[in-house]
Amino acid sequence: MFITLKFDRKKAVMGVVLAALVVIGVILLVSAHSRAAGDAGREPVSTVRTEKARAAYLSQYGWEVETPALSEEQVVIPRTFSDVFEEYNALQQRQGFDLSRYCGMEVTMYTYRVSNAGTDGEVLAVLYVLNGHVIGGDVHSTALDGFMTGVRNGADSL
């Protein structure tokens, strides 16, 4: 017994187009689900393009800073990390940042004087900003026996 099928070019093209649309839809659904799962537990991205926005960003973690910034510098994240920078990046990772994603890139480093640290000596807050978004930062004492903590650890952690 032989089965003969008549080839209909219009139906074949429509079938290919329909299959392509289904594949694209599945890819979009999977990527949207992956993004949502990857963002779970993270804070919404906040822009810090202005002095006021950077001060507000620090304030939400309990750090009150004097404005304007003491300094605004362009720095390059090292392509390869020294042991000291590995330790610094570990501090960043504990607060949800990872500077290794920005190796070799030029970013802006803002330094502010912290006014509510409650310790003797000068305390500074540093933010690393790329395209208006915070990618890292710390709060540290300039004293010889000082401290360093993550920006997101908050002033009450001292």
Side-chain angles (χ1 to χ4, degrees):
M1 170 189 244
F2 291 102
I3 299 175
T4 58
L5 297 173
K6 184 176 178 186
F7 181 76
D8 186 351
R9 187 177 186 132
K10 267 188 182 178
K11 288 182 181 177
V13 169
M14 289 300 289
V16 169
V17 169
L18 183 60
L21 288 174
V22 168
V23 168
I24 290 170
V26 168
I27 289 171
L28 290 174
L29 283 173
V30 167
S31 69
H33 182 269
S34 296
R35 269 195 313 273
D39 290 341
R42 291 188 191 162
E43 73 177 28
V45 175
S46 58
T47 57
V48 291
R49 296 185 193 282
T50 66
E51 190 86 61
K52 185 176 178 180
R54 289 185 293 276
Y57 179 88
L58 290 164
S59 179
Q60 74 182 344
Y61 296 107
W63 305 110
E64 298 304 322
V65 296
E66 298 173 6
T67 55
L70 294 173
S71 67
E72 175 182 335
E73 303 173 56
Q74 298 302 307
V75 298
V76 176
I77 305 296
R79 287 192 187 279
T80 56
F81 291 177
S82 66
D83 290 344
V84 172
F85 206 89
E86 284 286 353
E87 286 183 41
Y88 185 73
N89 196 44
L91 169 74
Q92 300 306 312
Q93 290 171 333
R94 286 192 296 274
Q95 60 178 337
F97 299 123
D98 186 359
L99 295 176
S100 67
R101 297 175 53 199
Y102 307 98
C103 289
M105 297 179 79
E106 185 175 78
V107 302
T108 306
M109 180 178 79
Y110 295 94
T111 304
Y112 294 91
R113 182 174 287 118
V114 176
S115 59
N116 69 328
T119 62
D120 292 334
E122 188 172 49
V123 175
L124 303 176
V126 175
L127 289 179
Y128 296 97
V129 177
L130 180 65
N131 297 325
H133 299 286
V134 176
I135 62 165
D138 70 80
V139 174
H140 64 274
S141 166
T142 60
L144 208 50
D145 61 343
F147 67 89
M148 180 179 284
T149 188
V151 168
R152 292 180 173 176
N153 291 352
D156 57 349
S157 68
L158 296 181

